[in-house]
Amino acid sequence: MPTLHFAALLYSVRATLSLVVAATLSVATASAQEQSAGVSGKLLATSGVSQIEGAAGGGLATWAVIGGYGTVDQIGGSAFATQVSLDDFRLRSSGAAIGFYDRFELSFAQQAFDTKAVGAALGLGAGYTFRQDVFGAKVRLIGDAVYDQDRWLPQIALGLQHKRNHNGAVLTALGAKRDQSTDVYVAATKIFLRQRLVLSGALRFTQANQLGILGFGGPQGNSHRAQVEGSAAYLLQPNLVLGIEARTKRDYLGLGEQNAYDAFIAYFPNKNVSLTIAYVDLGKIVVPGKQRGVYASLQFAL
Amino acid sequence: MLAPSDTPTIMKDAAVQRTEPRSRIAIQHTFLLLLFAAMLGVGTPSAQAQQSSSSEAALSGFGGLEGLRTMTNDFVLRLQKNPRTAPFFAESDVPKLTKSLTEQFCALLGGPCRYSGRDMKAVHTGMNVRTADFNALAEELQLAMIQAGISNTEQYRLIALLAPMQRDVVGR
Ligand code: HEM
């Protein structure tokens, strides 16, 4: 038990640290900006927020936008901490992304999935926690989500997320085939300013079980399959966005894995901070019933 | 169009019975319907252009031509103060630039005006305007519109019309 508490403490210390570093960076850069006027060039909210795996996106879905407020001439970045409190579990994710010249994005996220009482029921121990690191890269291929208001072409990006789960032995016992794998996705995002809408869709090729938290592949299959992610959001005002999302998942483990949905509100008081609150439904996760709950995410950006 | 009031429906649907399979189907259907409605609401870019008839009514959201001119004048003064845009407009003839921009905004919005200034590419050539400068200008415009009490809908309408000009203005 003490080790579990220590691990949880270590986790929150690390999450807090990444936020503190990001906050310090934003303050430092903001004051530098007053002289050089060289940072924070994108329009408010147009780089989205950090999705659960660390890439720029909505909450669950990945978007084609590049993280941070850097324009084609600048480097930007973001750091985030997200907590999803579900009926029987708690998922935490924290990490950072760097956007280079509104063209490339590198991201990292560490996820911790606390099984709480279910862990004991499964014989893993109460509070048994699955951990996963996600290393992401994204490149914008064509289109501009903001400026191309006179064209149908959305902003399109190609990305990958390399996932390394730390719980190999337990994953094998669950029936998963692998403890690391790489997702590949194509995302298309368009902001319709006139209609105040953001529409985004992504096709993700993955073999992940519950995003990879329960490993990759299983008795029901082991190949990468196309999954769909979609977001529709309404720009209530420049600093307030309301939206809904969906993300399909596949049941490789034969444990009844289901699609995920959320309804979110994201608030951007300024370019350095955003807060996203969502109601999520991640579907069935091992135990009977759907896992629903509240998603809260804090992001610092520059 | 996806109205903000549509979202709570999803939340309400999602909140019913954890284990009831029907609720999942309901959520999926609601989601797909909303997505579909959102896509229909978008309309084509050409349809947008036709929407605005060439009349005073097109400017009613801006307080008519007079309101538009007042807002634009404030906008130009802001451009001279914003540290990012100020160097570009330091020596600008404010009344002349206000007149040009008012005409241009009025014409774009579908109002009873004809833009008499120079071509956008030609005007901005040699200025080496960067995307961040362009965005700073857009932000000042937004602030000027907020200051003038212009609705969110009308603000987004003008911003949407100006956004594609980024290609003519930036990097020349
Ligand atoms: C959508 C964005 C923009 C629009 C619609 C726009 C429009 C115009 C118009 C109508 C004129 C006057 C042309 C004439 O009278 O012949 C003008 C001039 C000018 N623009 Fe822009 N412009 C935009 C963006 C920018 C940006 C981002 C900058 C630099 C930060 C800039 C800098 C200038 C300057 C320095 C002039 C000359 C002003 C003078 O006469 O002193 N413009 N622009």
Side-chain angles (χ1 to χ4, degrees), chain A residues 55-119:
Chain A
L60 291 176
T62 321
W63 292 3
V65 297
I66 300 297
Y69 280 99
T71 64
V72 289
D73 308 303
Q74 304 165 330
I75 296 175
S78 61
F80 75 100
T82 297
Q83 173 157 312
V84 191
S85 307
L86 301 163
D87 293 303
D88 299 302
F89 306 105
R90 183 182 63 206
L91 172 62
R92 280 175 169 168
S93 179
S94 66
I98 307 179
F100 299 90
Y101 312 112
D102 201 20
R103 177 63 65 188
F104 301 103
E105 175 187 289
L106 290 179
S107 62
F108 170 72
Q110 50 175 8
Q111 301 175 325
F113 185 76
D114 187 338
T115 59
K116 293 162 72 172
V118 174

Side-chain angles (χ1 to χ4, degrees), chain B residues 41-55:
Chain B
V42 165
T44 63
S46 58
Q48 281 172 39
Q50 287 158 15
Q51 262 173 356
S52 35
S53 62
S54 191
S55 78

Side-chain angles (χ1 to χ4, degrees), chain B residues 3-4 7 12 19-20 22 40 44 67 72 82 103 107 130 147:
Chain B
T7 307
K12 226 169 27 202
T19 45
E20 172 67 57
R22 272 171 166 234
L40 281 180
T44 63
T72 307
N82 183 310
E103 266 179 20
R130 315 308 309 174
Q147 181 70 42

